[in-house]
Amino acid sequence: MASQHGFLAQDDQQFQSFFKPDATLERLTTGYIWVEGPVWLDDIGELRFSDIPNNRMMTWSQEKGTRVFRQPSQRTNGSTVDRAGNMVSCEHGGRCISRTGKDGTYEVLGTHWESKRLNSPNDLVVKSDGSIWFTDPPYGIISDHEGIRADSEIGSNNVYRLDPSTGEVELVADDFDRPNGLAFSPDESVLYVADSGRARGHGFGFDDSRPHHVRALEVIDGIKLGKSRVVADIDMVPDGLRVDTEGLLWISAEDGIHCYTPEGRRLGRILIPEVVANLTFGGPHGSRLFITATSSVYAVETTRKGVGF
């Protein structure tokens, strides 16, 4: 279906209303190897993102442009903000979950499950009770491109829940191939998790027999996961995902950002001229969508608002 915006491909007419008539796709910064893990820090009006192979984390703001935030960065991948405004991150190099305080203090929150070293934490989300839910595929240990090559001590790729007050890491899902991006529904009754099993990792190509979908898992008693269903089957491998305040899913894939209803109907796509890694909502009103894609960071204003803003 045609769209008045050249960067949109809509499957449903309402997708057009998610963008103002004068909305444009803007490239904010470029010159990286593989950008990932965008996170918006509302308190200071900054976007942080990782250039994983260059082992650095960058920061961008409308006023100051782009500069290095941290180098080396332990090849940090996904990041989010906790309820106190601290940045919580997944480190491929450190194979851990870390927290950077608003005052700049740094601490490691979790490194092991049942005395076994984590693989390479990939993405994470903080629940309203403060617990940190994260995915742990092997992308940071299967080569030196995004981490440090090593053998897995766990032998599987799982989803975990971390209690930051105790450091205890609990297994919540062990039936994924390569769990990746994740996000809660607005009421936290559902956890959405992308399985990027089809993508074998840098230099390893693709395996079409493996999963490339997003699943919705029932959250039980706020601490466990129950039955699940496939929400979106994406040939181009889902990676990161975010949810807006009305429950729509925004999923990054190779060609751009795919927008789905919770029932599994695709409404449209934002087409990006580079292979896309991840996304986050941010900006002064929580409605600006920031997209990391290979060597660049893009942004587009929407009429939606991300959960957490």
Side-chain angles (χ1 to χ4, degrees):
M1 188 182 299
S3 167
Q4 70 185 65
H5 297 96
F7 58 89
L8 298 182
Q10 60 188 56
D11 300 284
D12 187 287
Q13 188 65 41
Q14 69 171 307
F15 188 62
Q16 186 74 46
S17 69
F18 298 168
F19 306 87
K20 296 180 179 179
D22 60 351
T24 60
L25 181 67
E26 180 183 4
R27 186 164 70 174
L28 301 178
T29 179
T30 190
Y32 312 100
I33 295 178
W34 179 245
V35 283
E36 256 281 10
V39 57
W40 177 258
L41 288 89
D42 201 44
D43 288 350
I44 56 176
E46 285 189 2
L47 178 77
R48 291 178 187 163
F49 58 95
S50 294
D51 184 12
I52 299 179
N54 278 325
N55 198 19
R56 60 182 179 172
M57 181 175 279
M58 311 296 295
T59 185
W60 173 92
S61 70
Q62 197 73 54
E63 296 77 20
K64 298 179 181 179
T66 309
R67 60 194 189 282
V68 175
F69 171 73
R70 176 181 291 159
Q71 190 173 21
S73 66
Q74 293 285 11
R75 293 182 172 86
T76 294
N77 193 336
S79 290
T80 191
V81 176
D82 67 16
R83 302 291 158 159
N86 305 305
M87 182 178 72
V88 187
S89 302
C90 293
E91 297 184 7
H92 278 189
R95 297 172 68 176
C96 68
I97 303 298
S98 65
R99 179 168 61 199
T100 301
K102 295 168 67 174
D103 60 357
T105 56
Y106 169 89
E107 59 182 320
V108 172
L109 300 179
T111 59
H112 290 71
W113 171 67
E114 293 190 344
S115 301
K116 299 174 184 178
R117 188 93 181 265
L118 296 172
N119 295 328
S120 55
N122 187 283
D123 209 352
L124 72 174
V125 63
V126 176
K127 196 169 174 287
S128 60
D129 63 3
S131 59
I132 300 166
W133 301 58
F134 67 95
T135 56
D136 189 37
Y139 292 119
I141 59 173
I142 58 177
S143 76
D144 295 317
H145 182 70
E146 293 188 33
I148 301 169
R149 187 192 297 269
D151 292 329
S152 171
E153 295 183 13
I154 296 174
S156 58
N157 308 311
N158 305 316
V159 183
Y160 299 95
R161 177 183 180 273
L162 185 154
D163 183 338
S165 64
T166 64
E168 183 179 1
V169 175
E170 296 184 1
L171 177 72
V172 292
D174 61 1
D175 60 346
F176 283 85
D177 187 335
R178 293 190 170 181
N180 207 313
L182 72 171
F184 283 104
S185 62
D187 64 0
E188 297 184 337
S189 65
V190 174
L191 179 68
Y192 298 102
V193 183
D195 195 330
S196 58
R198 180 176 179 267
R200 309 313 297 153
H202 180 76
F204 292 88
F206 298 92
D207 182 344
D208 292 338
S209 68
R210 293 180 178 271
H212 43 85
H213 55 228
V214 174
R215 286 165 53 190
L217 295 95
E218 178 187 12
V219 179
I220 302 173
D221 299 329
I223 58 173
K224 298 181 292 184
L225 297 178
K227 61 183 180 181
S228 74
R229 59 185 171 85
V230 172
V231 175
D233 202 347
I234 299 176
D235 289 340
M236 294 186 176
V237 185
D239 193 326
L241 63 95
R242 294 292 187 271
V243 173
D244 67 29
T245 54
E246 295 185 36
L248 296 181
L249 284 75
W250 298 77
I251 306 164
S252 64
E254 292 171 61
D255 62 339
I257 306 301
H258 296 222
C259 181
Y260 276 79
T261 68
E263 295 74 34
R265 182 165 59 92
R266 193 177 75 178
L267 301 179
R269 294 171 292 152
I270 304 172
L271 303 176
I272 307 298
E274 298 183 69
V275 174
V276 172
N278 216 322
L279 73 158
T280 194
F281 282 96
H285 308 293
S287 58
R288 196 175 193 189
L289 194 60
F290 295 97
I291 303 161
T292 53
T294 308
S295 67
S296 308
V297 178
Y298 296 84
V300 60
E301 293 286 351
T302 78
T303 60
R304 316 300 286 181
K305 189 175 182 180
V307 169
F309 290 89

